[in-house]
C-alpha cells in the first residue's frame, strides 16, 4: 500500500559508519591559510619590537624600560639608558581617557614603585634619595623637587598612591580601590554615577571569599546533577520539575520576606554613611523580588504547555543516560573545550596587546611618543577580530563533531560489547583525519552571521540615547532576526555534523540531508527535542537558583559588604556558565540521538536484513505511543502497524496555538513593565516579530511535515 518502501531499496541493507573519506578539503586549506595569516600578525608585531614594549613597558618618550635605547630623531629625552629603571610609573595613574580607553598621564621609567603613599613632595624626594627611584620628570633632579617652580607639573600628582608592579608586565599599578573604580568606569561607560560604581566594586572586593565559595558550589552542583542524570534518568524529569517549582516559589518567597524585613527595620539608628547603602540594598531586593515573581509566572506557563510531553523526554533521557554509562569521557568534554578556548583567547589577547604597541614612533599633540601602524597593515585589526570569531566557533564545532561521532558510534553499534575502547578518542581521530574541512565550513557560516550582528550591536551601543524610537526599533529587530538566524544555523550545523559522522558526506550534503530529516519529523522535533532541551534548561535554572539563594542568605549576614548587585550577578552568571557547559553536552547527546533515531526509522523497517539499531527502551516507547493512539481512535486497523509521528496533528496544532498565545502575552506583559514611554513602539516590534518570524516558521514546518510524512513499516 502507500508508504511502503521501495522493493529494490528493501533488498539493500544500509550500513552506517562504513564509508570514510575526507570532506570539504578546500575549506580545510582555506582555514589553514587563515591561521597562517593569524600567525603572521603575531610574528609581525613581535618582530617590530612590540613584544619588548608590551612586556617591559615604555615611557612617554619612546624608551623601553630595563634596557639601553636608540635615539629617536626629533624626540627629546629619547635614547636613554634605562638598564636600572625596569618599571613604568604614571604621574597621574587614575586620569583616564574614557573615549580612547587609555591613561592620560606622562609615563616614566623608574627603579622601584612606591609601596607606601607619598603625601608631599618631601616624601617624594626622600623616596628618590632612599631607593634611587626618581618619580619626577627626567630633567628635574631629586634635590630640586621641593624648590623648583615646575614641580607641580613635572612631579606626580599628590598624594602619590601606593602601588605595586604588575607581574610579568613591569607597570606600577595603584593598590587603591578607587583607581580600579575609575578604570572600570572607562570600560563601562553606561554607568553615570561614579559613587554607585565605586560601591559596586567595593562590594565585590569585600565579598570575594563568598563569591569564590559560591562559584565552587555551582561547580559541585553541576557535577552532582550530571551523576543524577547518568544513573536515575527515568525519574530525573519529575525530580527537576518538582525541585524547580519548589525552588522558584521558595526563592521568590525569601526575596519578598527579606524585602519586607529590611523595609520594616528602623532607619534612625543607621549612620548617614550607611543610609545610602541600605537604600541601595532595599531597592535591589525589590528588583530581585519582582523579577523572580515574573520569572516564576512565566516558568509555570511554559511548564503548563509542556506537561503532556514529559513521557517523551523520559524515554529519550533514559537512552542518553545509557550513553554516558558507556561513554564516561563525554562528561569531560567541556573541560577540554574550555581549556582550548582559554589557550586561544590568551593568545588572541596577547597578540592584540602586541598590535597596540607595534608600528613606528610618532609624536602626538602633547609631544609624547605613540606607536602607530600606517598603510594597509593598519587593517590587521579587522583580520584579527574575524579570527577570534571563526577560530572560537571552529573549536566549539570540533566539540560538537566529537560528541556526535562518539554518540553515532554508540547508537549504530548493535552489540555494545564491540564498541571501541575509547569512542571519544576514536571520534577525535576521525575528525582530524576526515572532517576538519566540514567543521571549518560550518563555523565560517556562523561567523558570517555573527559579524553583522556584532556590528549592529556596536552601532546600537554607540547611538544609545541619540537615535529616535523608530531607528531603535529597526536596529533591535535586525539584531533579533540575526540572532534567531544564528541559532537556527547552529542547530542545523550540529545536525549536519551528525549526518557527516554517519555517512561521511560533505557539509552541504549533510546539512541538506539533516534538514530533510528534520522537516519530515517536524512534529517529533517539537515533541522530543524541544521538551528535552527545556528539561535541561530547568536543570540550569535549578543550579542558578540554588547558588543564588545561597548567595542571598550569605550576603544577608555579611556585615562588611556594600551593595549586593554585582557580587550576586557574578555568582549567578558563573553558575549558569558552569551548568551550561556540563548540561550542554547532555543536550548534544539528546539531539544526536534524536537524529540517529529519525535516520534509523527512515532506512530500516525492522524486517530481516534491515533491523532497527535503536535501543529497546526507545522502541518500547514507540510501541506504547502507537497503542495509545489506536485506543484513542486516532489509528485504524489498516495503519495500526505504521510508525506515525509521536503527537497527533490536531493535538500539535492546539499546542502550537497555545504556545503562540503565551508567547505573545508574555511579550506584551514584558513591554508593559519595562518599556515606559516606548510602549507603542515595542508592541509594534513584538507584533512584527510574531507575525513574520514566529508564525511562518512554525506553520511552514508543520505544512512541510504534512507534505512529506514519514512512513516506515514496523515488524
Amino acid at each position: 500500500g502507500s508508504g511502503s518502501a521501495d522493493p529494490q531499496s528493501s533488498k539493500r541493507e544500509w550500513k552506517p559508519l562504513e564509508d570514510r573519506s575526507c570532506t570539504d578539503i578546500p575549506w580545510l586549506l582555506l582555514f589553514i591559510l587563515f591561521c597562517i595569516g593569524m600567525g603572521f600578525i603575531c610574528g609581525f608585531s613581535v618582530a617590530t619590537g612590540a613584544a619588548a614594549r608590551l612586556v617591559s613597558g615604555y615611557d612617554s618618550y619612546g624608551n623601553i624600560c630595563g634596557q639601553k635605547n636608540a635615539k629617536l630623531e626629533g624626540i627629546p629625552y629619547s635614547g636613554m639608558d634605562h638598564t636600572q629603571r625596569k618599571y613604568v610609573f604614571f604621574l597621574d595613574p587614575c586620569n583616564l581617557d574614557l573615549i580612547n580607553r587609555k591613561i592620560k598621564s606622562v609615563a616614566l621609567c623608574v627603579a622601584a614603585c612606591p609601596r607606601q603613599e607619598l603625601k608631599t613632595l618631601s616624601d617624594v624626594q626622600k623616596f628618590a634619595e632612599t631607593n634611587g627611584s626618581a618619580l619626577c620628570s627626567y630633567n628635574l633632579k631629586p634635590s630640586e623637587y621641593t624648590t623648583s617652580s615646575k614641580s607641580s607639573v613635572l612631579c606626580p600628582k599628590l598624594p602619590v598612591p601606593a602601588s605595586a608592579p604588575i607581574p610579568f608586565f613591569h607597570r606600577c599599578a595603584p593598590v587603591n580601590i578607587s583607581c580600579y573604580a575609575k578604570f572600570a568606569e572607562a570600560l563601562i561607560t553606561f554607568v553615570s554615577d561614579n559613587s554607585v560604581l565605586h560601591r559596586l566594586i567595593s562590594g565585590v572586593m569585600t565579598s570575594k571569599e563568598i563569591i569564590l565559595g559560591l562559584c565552587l558550589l555551582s561547580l559541585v552542583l553541576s557535577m552532582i546533577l550530571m551523576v543524577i542524570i547518568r544513573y536515575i534518568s527515568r525519574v530525573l524529569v519529575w525530580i527537576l520539575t518538582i525541585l524547580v517549582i519548589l525552588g522558584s516559589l521558595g526563592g521568590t518567597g525569601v526575596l519578598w520576606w527579606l524585602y519586607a524585613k529590611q523595609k520594616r527595620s528602623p532607619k534612625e539608628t543607621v549612620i548617614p554613611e550607611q543610609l545610602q547603602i541600605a537604600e541601595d540594598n532595599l531597592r535591589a531586593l525589590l528588583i530581585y523580588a519582582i523579577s523572580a515573581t515574573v520569572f516564576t509566572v512565566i516558568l509555570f506557563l511554559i511548564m503548563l504547555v509542556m506537561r503532556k510531553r514529559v513521557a517523551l523526554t523520559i524515554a529519550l533521557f533514559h537512552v542518553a543516560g545509557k550513553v554516558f554509562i558507556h561513554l564516561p569521557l563525554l562528561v569531560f568534554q567541556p573541560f577540554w573545550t574550555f581549556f582550548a578556548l582559554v589557550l586561544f583567547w590568551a593568545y588572541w589577547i596577547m597578540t592584540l596587546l602586541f598590535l597596540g604597541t607595534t608600528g613606528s614612533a610618532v609624536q602626538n599633540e602633547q609631544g609624547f611618543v605613540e606607536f602607530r601602524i600606517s598603510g594597509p597593515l593598519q587593517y590587521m585589526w579587522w583580520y584579527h577580530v574575524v579570527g577570534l570569531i571563526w577560530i572560537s566557533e571552529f573549536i566549539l564545532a570540533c566539540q560538537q563533531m566529537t560528541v556526535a561521532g562518539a554518540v553515532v558510534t554508540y547508537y549504530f553499534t548493535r552489540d555494545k560489547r564491540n564498541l571501541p575502547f575509547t569512542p571519544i578518542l576514536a571520534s577525535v581521530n576521525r575528525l582530524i583525519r576526515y572532517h576538519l574541512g566540514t567543521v571549518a565550513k560550518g563555523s565560517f557560516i556562523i561567523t558570517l552571521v555573527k559579524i553583522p550582528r556584532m556590528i549592529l550591536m556596536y552601532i546600537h551601543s554607540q547611538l544609545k540615547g541619540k537615535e529616535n524610537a523608530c531607528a531603535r526599533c529597526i536596529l533591535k529587530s535586525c539584531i533579533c532576526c540575526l540572532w534567531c538566524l544564528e541559532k537556527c544555523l547552529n542547530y542545523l550545523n550540529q545536525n549536519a555534523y551528525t549526518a557527516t559522522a554517519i555517512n561521511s558526506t560533505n557539509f552541504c550534503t549533510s546539512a541538506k540531508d539533516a534538514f530533510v530529516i528534520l522537516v519530515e519529523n517536524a512534529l517529533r522535533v517539537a515533541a522530543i527535542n524541544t521538551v528535552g532541551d527545556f528539561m535541561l534548561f530547568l536543570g540550569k535554572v535549578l543550579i542558578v537558583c540554588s547558588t543564588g539563594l545561597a548567595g542571598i542568605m550569605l550576603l544577608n549576614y555579611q556585615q562588611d559588604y556594600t551593595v549586593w548587585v554585582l557580587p550576586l550577578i557574578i555568582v549567578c552568571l558563573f553558575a549558569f556558565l558552569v551548568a551550561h557547559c556540563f548540561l550542554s553536552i547532555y543536550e548534544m547527546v539528546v539531539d544526536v540521538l534524536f537524529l540517529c533515531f529519525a535516520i534509523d526509522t527512515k532506512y530500516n523497517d525492522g524486517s530481516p536484513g534491515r533491523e532497527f539499531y535503536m535501543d529497546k527502551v526507545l522502541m518500547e516507547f514507540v510501541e506504547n505511543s502507537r497503542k495509545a493512539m489506536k485506543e484513542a481512535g486516532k489509528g485504524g486497523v489498516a495503519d495500526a502497524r505504521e510508525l506515525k509521528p509521536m503527537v497527533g496533528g490536531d493535538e500539535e496544532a492546539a499546542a502550537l496555538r497555545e504556545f503562540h498565545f503565551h508567547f505573545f502575552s508574555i511579550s506584551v506583559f514584558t513591554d508593559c513593565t519595562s518599556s515606559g514611554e516606548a510602549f507603542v513602539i515595542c508592541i509594534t516590534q513584538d507584533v512584527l516579530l510574531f507575525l513574520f518570524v514566529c508564525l511562518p516558521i512554525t506553520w511552514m514546518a508543520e505544512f512541510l511535515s504534512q507534505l512529506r510524512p514519514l512512513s516506515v513499516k514496523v515488524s
Side-chain angles (χ1 to χ4, degrees):
S2 63
S4 53
D6 183 23
Q8 297 296 327
S9 62
S10 63
K11 299 178 182 179
R12 183 179 66 253
E13 182 181 1
W14 172 72
K15 294 183 179 180
L17 306 177
E18 288 194 351
D19 222 2
R20 287 294 165 201
S21 58
C22 293
T23 56
D24 297 297
I25 296 179
W27 282 93
L28 176 59
L29 297 177
L30 178 62
F31 182 75
I32 292 174
L33 289 176
F34 185 86
C35 292
I36 293 174
M38 293 283 291
F40 168 78
I41 292 177
C42 181
F44 171 79
S45 59
V46 173
T48 54
R53 287 193 289 269
L54 174 65
V55 175
S56 301
Y58 62 96
D59 61 13
S60 297
Y61 308 102
N63 301 298
I64 299 177
C65 300
Q67 69 180 46
K68 191 173 183 179
N69 298 272
K71 177 69 176 179
L72 299 177
E73 185 178 355
I75 298 178
Y77 306 114
S78 63
M80 298 181 66
D81 186 0
H82 285 330
T83 306
Q84 303 300 323
R85 301 174 179 178
K86 299 181 179 180
Y87 301 101
V88 179
F89 175 77
F90 298 95
L91 298 187
D92 189 5
C94 297
N95 184 13
L96 300 176
D97 185 351
L98 301 183
I99 299 177
N100 297 318
R101 308 291 197 272
K102 62 182 181 180
I103 299 177
K104 294 173 58 177
S105 171
V106 176
L108 302 174
C109 292
V110 298
C113 302
R115 298 285 181 155
Q116 297 179 347
E117 185 180 48
L118 307 177
K119 298 182 179 180
T120 64
L121 288 176
S122 298
D123 294 336
V124 175
Q125 183 179 13
K126 184 178 179 181
F127 176 81
E129 295 172 349
T130 304
N131 298 278
S133 181
L135 302 183
C136 294
S137 184
Y138 300 138
N139 59 341
L140 192 65
K141 298 179 181 180
S143 59
E144 302 174 349
Y145 286 0
T146 57
T147 58
S148 176
S149 59
K150 298 181 180 180
S151 297
S152 58
V153 179
L154 302 180
C155 288
K157 182 180 178 181
L158 298 175
V160 180
S163 60
I166 301 176
F168 307 110
F169 288 98
H170 302 88
R171 268 78 167 178
C172 295
V175 297
N176 187 1
I177 191 174
S178 61
C179 271
Y180 291 131
K182 295 181 180 180
F183 177 74
E185 183 186 353
L187 301 177
I188 313 173
T189 56
F190 60 83
V191 178
S192 57
D193 190 349
N194 295 342
S195 61
V196 172
L197 182 62
H198 176 72
R199 291 196 300 272
L200 288 175
I201 297 177
S202 299
V204 174
M205 297 300 295
T206 55
S207 306
K208 55 183 179 295
E209 293 84 5
I210 294 179
I211 294 175
L212 185 61
L214 291 173
C215 291
L216 183 61
L217 174 64
S218 66
L219 181 62
V220 173
L221 291 176
S222 300
M223 296 293 292
I224 293 175
L225 188 58
M226 287 296 296
V227 174
I228 293 175
I229 290 175
R230 176 177 173 180
Y231 289 105
I232 57 171
S233 56
R234 281 186 176 274
V235 296
L236 171 68
V237 175
W238 300 112
I239 291 175
L240 283 178
T241 302
I242 294 173
L243 287 179
V244 168
I245 290 175
L246 295 178
S248 57
L249 288 175
T252 304
V254 168
L255 285 171
W256 282 113
W257 172 73
L258 289 175
Y259 171 74
K261 179 183 177 182
Q262 291 204 12
K263 189 175 183 180
R264 290 195 303 265
S265 61
K267 297 181 175 58
E268 292 79 8
T269 58
V270 180
I271 60 177
E273 289 77 9
Q274 295 182 355
L275 183 61
Q276 182 63 38
I277 295 175
E279 293 178 355
D280 290 340
N281 286 332
L282 187 64
R283 190 182 305 110
L285 276 176
L286 179 60
I287 295 174
Y288 290 156
I290 295 175
S291 302
T293 304
V294 174
F295 175 78
T296 302
V297 172
I298 294 175
L299 190 63
F300 283 173
L301 288 176
I302 296 176
M303 294 177 68
L304 186 66
V305 175
M306 297 292 185
R307 69 190 184 279
K308 298 179 182 179
R309 294 160 178 79
V310 173
L312 299 171
T313 308
I314 292 176
L316 201 58
F317 270 39
H318 183 79
V319 180
K322 288 186 177 181
V323 173
F324 279 94
I325 293 175
H326 287 88
L327 310 176
L329 290 180
L330 278 177
V331 179
F332 299 100
Q333 279 302 300
F335 289 106
W336 310 128
T337 304
F338 180 74
F339 181 69
L341 286 173
V342 167
L343 287 181
F344 170 68
W345 290 341
Y347 161 81
W348 189 86
I349 293 174
M350 187 64 65
T351 305
L352 183 68
L353 295 175
F354 285 161
L355 287 176
T357 55
T358 192
S360 303
V362 295
Q363 276 187 307
N364 58 17
E365 294 79 5
Q366 289 78 26
F368 301 131
V369 172
E370 293 181 353
F371 293 92
R372 299 174 183 173
I373 306 176
S374 58
L377 294 178
Q378 61 183 320
Y379 300 107
M380 289 190 300
W381 295 85
W382 293 101
Y383 190 96
H384 196 58
V385 171
V386 174
L388 170 66
I389 301 174
W390 190 4
I391 297 179
S392 298
E393 292 295 331
F394 177 83
I395 295 173
L396 294 174
C398 286
Q399 173 184 267
Q400 294 175 351
M401 179 67 85
T402 301
V403 173
V407 177
V408 163
T409 301
Y410 169 84
Y411 187 95
F412 289 106
T413 301
R414 297 189 190 277
D415 189 357
K416 307 306 179 188
R417 292 173 297 182
N418 296 330
L419 283 170
F421 178 69
T422 53
I424 291 291
L425 296 181
S427 179
V428 172
N429 179 53
R430 289 195 301 271
L431 167 65
I432 296 175
R433 292 180 60 185
Y434 302 114
H435 304 313
L436 283 178
T438 299
V439 171
K441 186 174 184 179
S443 57
F444 181 75
I445 292 175
I446 300 298
T447 304
L448 288 181
V449 178
K450 192 182 288 285
I451 290 177
R453 183 170 68 88
M454 295 179 65
I455 293 175
L456 289 178
M457 291 176 63
Y458 176 76
I459 294 174
H460 181 264
S461 64
Q462 293 298 311
L463 297 178
K464 197 168 186 178
K466 300 178 182 178
E467 80 281 16
N468 54 35
C470 182
R472 181 169 63 251
C473 177
I474 293 175
L475 273 177
K476 288 184 177 179
S477 300
C478 292
I479 293 173
C480 180
C481 291
L482 287 174
W483 181 84
C484 293
L485 177 61
E486 180 184 336
K487 293 302 178 183
C488 293
L489 288 176
N490 265 320
Y491 181 71
L492 182 60
N493 279 10
Q494 181 177 330
N495 288 278
Y497 298 147
T498 304
T500 299
I502 296 173
N503 296 321
S504 194
T505 51
N506 60 43
F507 178 82
C508 292
T509 302
S510 299
K512 182 193 68 175
D513 294 341
F515 180 77
V516 170
I517 291 292
L518 293 175
V519 169
E520 289 177 345
N521 297 270
L523 300 181
R524 295 179 187 174
V525 173
I528 295 177
N529 188 56
T530 304
V531 179
D533 293 348
F534 177 69
M535 285 293 123
L536 294 175
F537 170 73
L538 291 183
K540 301 174 187 178
V541 171
L542 175 63
I543 293 174
V544 173
C545 290
S546 302
T547 308
L549 183 60
I552 291 173
M553 301 304 295
L554 289 175
L555 290 173
N556 184 47
Y557 295 102
Q558 177 77 10
Q559 299 300 321
D560 56 350
Y561 65 86
T562 52
V563 179
W564 285 10
V565 179
L566 201 54
L568 204 57
I569 289 177
I570 291 175
V571 167
C572 290
L573 286 178
F574 184 83
F576 182 81
L577 177 63
V578 171
H580 177 74
C581 288
F582 281 94
L583 296 183
S584 62
I585 297 298
Y586 206 91
E587 185 176 344
M588 289 182 197
V589 172
V590 172
D591 292 339
V592 173
L593 283 175
F594 170 70
L595 190 64
C596 291
F597 168 75
I599 294 177
D600 190 12
T601 57
K602 180 175 182 178
Y603 288 99
N604 299 302
D605 57 4
S607 61
R610 297 182 63 182
E611 294 86 359
F612 287 110
Y613 288 90
M614 70 180 65
D615 189 88
K616 293 181 180 179
V617 176
L618 198 55
M619 198 63 228
E620 289 174 2
F621 171 76
V622 173
E623 293 291 340
N624 293 335
S625 298
R626 189 180 63 245
K627 290 178 182 178
M629 287 193 302
K630 182 179 179 181
E631 292 173 0
K634 296 184 179 180
V637 178
D639 59 351
R641 301 182 62 79
E642 189 127 350
L643 184 61
K644 287 186 175 292
M646 299 296 181
V647 182
D650 295 337
E651 182 183 352
E652 187 65 23
L656 287 175
R657 287 193 296 269
E658 186 180 5
F659 173 75
H660 292 158
F661 171 75
H662 290 307
F663 169 81
F664 191 65
S665 301
I666 291 172
S667 300
V668 173
F669 177 77
T670 304
D671 291 335
C672 291
T673 57
S674 62
S675 298
E677 68 279 359
F679 172 72
V680 177
I681 296 297
C682 292
I683 286 291
T684 305
Q685 174 185 348
D686 288 332
V687 171
L688 292 176
L689 292 176
F690 181 73
L691 293 178
F692 296 105
V693 177
C694 181
L695 286 180
I697 290 177
T698 53
W699 285 348
M700 182 172 294
E702 185 176 0
F703 176 70
L704 291 177
S705 67
Q706 298 299 326
L707 284 181
R708 304 189 62 178
L710 180 63
S711 180
V712 180
K713 294 292 184 180
V714 180
S715 59

